[in-house]
Amino acid sequence: MARMNRPAPVEVCHKNMRFLITHNPSNTTLSTFIQDLKKYGATTVVRVCEVTYDKTPLEKDGISVMDWPFDDGAPPPSKVVDDWLSLLKAKFCEDPGCCVAVHCVAGLGRKRRGAINSKQLTYLEKYRPKQRLRFKDPHNHKNKCCIM
């Protein structure tokens, strides 16, 4: 069986938030996937695609997996967006600087030009923030805000 080349994870940082965009692992690539998560300190994985691997080994290593699947190529439903924002608010308020990993079926491939389809582009153009994520800076008494 030919071995698939998996792209390296991509870390995206904004203020005190860190995200890890990863490939969609399978049970055969799960050990490498877990190593990558540990390397970046990710303790939560959000998978927005159908199940392609057993999450039990991740959970045994203290990594929680959130399953919020929606159709590939489609914009996320409101419930997924609301759950995502609630998760981020909880994670980054309790542990500023932590890392949340996320993957879909082909998310890393979407970095190339022209890879976002018209439905997704329209969704992004029309999206208006619903919540603000507020974080306290221990060195400053003012709240730091990030609109998601």
Side-chain angles (χ1 to χ4, degrees):
M1 182 175 182
R3 183 182 166 151
M4 287 180 55
N5 276 340
R6 296 282 186 177
V10 175
E11 184 180 30
V12 178
C13 301
H14 179 73
K15 296 187 179 182
N16 69 337
M17 298 180 290
R18 294 174 45 238
F19 302 94
L20 189 64
I21 314 301
T22 72
H23 67 277
N24 183 24
S26 65
N27 284 325
T28 57
T29 62
L30 203 51
S31 63
T32 303
F33 181 66
I34 293 171
Q35 287 173 4
D36 287 340
L37 295 174
K38 287 181 175 183
K39 176 181 171 184
Y40 289 92
T43 57
T44 303
V45 174
V46 176
R47 99 177 134 184
V48 295
C49 58
E50 69 278 353
V51 173
T52 59
Y53 59 91
D54 179 13
K55 65 182 180 180
T56 306
L58 282 88
E59 292 171 337
K60 284 182 181 175
D61 272 327
I63 300 168
S64 59
V65 179
M66 313 302 290
D67 284 310
W68 299 334
F70 60 93
D71 292 340
D72 188 37
S78 295
K79 172 87 168 102
V80 170
V81 173
D82 292 344
D83 289 347
W84 171 253
L85 292 173
S86 295
L87 171 73
L88 298 184
K89 189 171 187 177
K91 292 297 291 180
F92 294 126
C93 283
E94 75 184 35
D95 187 11
C98 70
C99 184
V100 174
V102 62
H103 73 79
C104 62
V105 175
L108 281 172
R110 302 224 194 282
K111 291 188 300 177
R112 68 186 185 286
R113 185 179 189 154
I116 296 178
N117 69 37
S118 62
K119 287 189 288 186
Q120 293 166 325
L121 185 58
T122 299
Y123 174 82
L124 291 173
E125 289 172 342
K126 292 182 178 182
Y127 180 78
R128 297 294 172 257
K130 296 178 182 180
Q131 296 182 24
R132 289 185 181 267
L133 300 178
R134 297 187 184 273
F135 306 105
K136 291 194 178 191
D137 183 339
H139 300 73
N140 187 346
H141 294 292
K142 295 180 182 176
N143 280 339
K144 299 288 183 177
C145 298
C146 175
I147 299 173
M148 297 298 289

